[in-house]
Amino acid sequence: MVGEDAQLQLVTFQLGVELYGVDIMNVKEIVKIQNVRPIPNAPYYVEGIINLRGEIIPIIDLHKRFRLRKLEETDEYGEFEGGFIILNIDNNKIGIIIDRVARVVQVMQSAIQDPPQMLSGIGSEYIRGVIREENGYLIMLDIRKLFNPNELQKIIDMQ
């Protein structure tokens, strides 16, 4: 059982103008943008697959999944640095497209607040919590809830 004063490490990243985080224990690696091969008849939010050192990994576009605007090169955030975060979900690797990696941060378990009912178009069912920061807030995603078991199996079967 995790105590209230336990620390978590989160890999933070930007999708559009919002800052998100996932537990570092669920992150396999972060890679630069590569060519993604489309998959016919895939769900709308599945961008396709990549070959990462001989391993086929499905790539999910959370912008499409959550109907978020992508960060443009001309936005005020400086240089555009897209990439993929490779997540380990129940021993399956799935990549998500991100606009920019922010940094790894440590947060106290007690700093994580319940999510508001609706936050930037993302349903609260996908959010583990919200952490207030100086410049706003960090949205902590629950990667196991990003896909229901049937969706996850369909994505895994595409490999």
Side-chain angles (χ1 to χ4, degrees):
M1 185 87 182
V2 177
E4 280 295 303
D5 57 353
Q7 282 194 340
L8 289 173
Q9 284 192 311
L10 303 178
V11 174
T12 63
F13 56 93
Q14 213 168 335
L15 285 177
V17 297
E18 299 291 352
L19 189 63
Y20 296 88
V22 292
D23 190 325
I24 198 167
M25 299 306 288
N26 299 127
V27 175
K28 177 72 177 150
E29 62 186 299
I30 300 167
V31 296
K32 293 185 185 295
I33 285 284
Q34 314 181 11
N35 285 335
V36 177
R37 197 174 91 221
I39 302 173
N41 302 318
Y44 70 95
Y45 54 85
V46 176
E47 198 69 16
I49 56 174
I50 63 169
N51 183 334
L52 186 63
R53 295 182 298 279
E55 195 170 7
I56 303 302
I57 298 175
I59 300 296
I60 307 302
D61 188 339
L62 292 183
H63 298 92
K64 291 178 182 175
R65 175 80 177 180
F66 297 142
R67 293 172 179 80
L68 297 173
R69 182 179 74 86
K70 289 190 178 192
L71 188 65
E72 301 293 332
E73 291 186 45
T74 56
D75 281 351
E76 64 206 55
Y77 298 96
E79 192 176 328
F80 180 73
E81 300 171 9
F84 304 130
I85 292 181
I86 309 301
L87 299 171
N88 187 353
I89 303 175
D90 299 328
N91 293 319
N92 296 292
K93 291 181 186 157
I94 295 179
I96 57 172
I97 298 172
I98 59 169
D99 290 329
R100 175 175 294 113
V101 173
R103 63 190 195 282
V104 175
V105 298
Q106 290 194 12
V107 297
M108 300 301 283
Q109 186 75 28
S110 58
I112 301 171
Q113 301 174 359
D114 289 337
Q117 283 304 308
M118 194 57 143
L119 196 62
S120 359
I122 296 180
S124 61
E125 67 268 23
Y126 305 121
I127 299 173
R128 185 166 158 193
V130 175
I131 299 114
R132 294 205 184 281
E133 294 194 318
E134 289 178 27
N135 301 338
Y137 51 86
L138 167 64
I139 303 166
M140 186 176 175
L141 295 176
D142 185 338
I143 64 160
R144 284 182 174 67
K145 292 185 180 171
L146 289 179
F147 313 101
N148 70 42
N150 292 337
E151 286 176 313
L152 187 59
Q153 192 58 52
K154 187 184 278 189
I155 292 166
I156 292 162
D157 290 344
M158 290 179 194
Q159 299 180 36

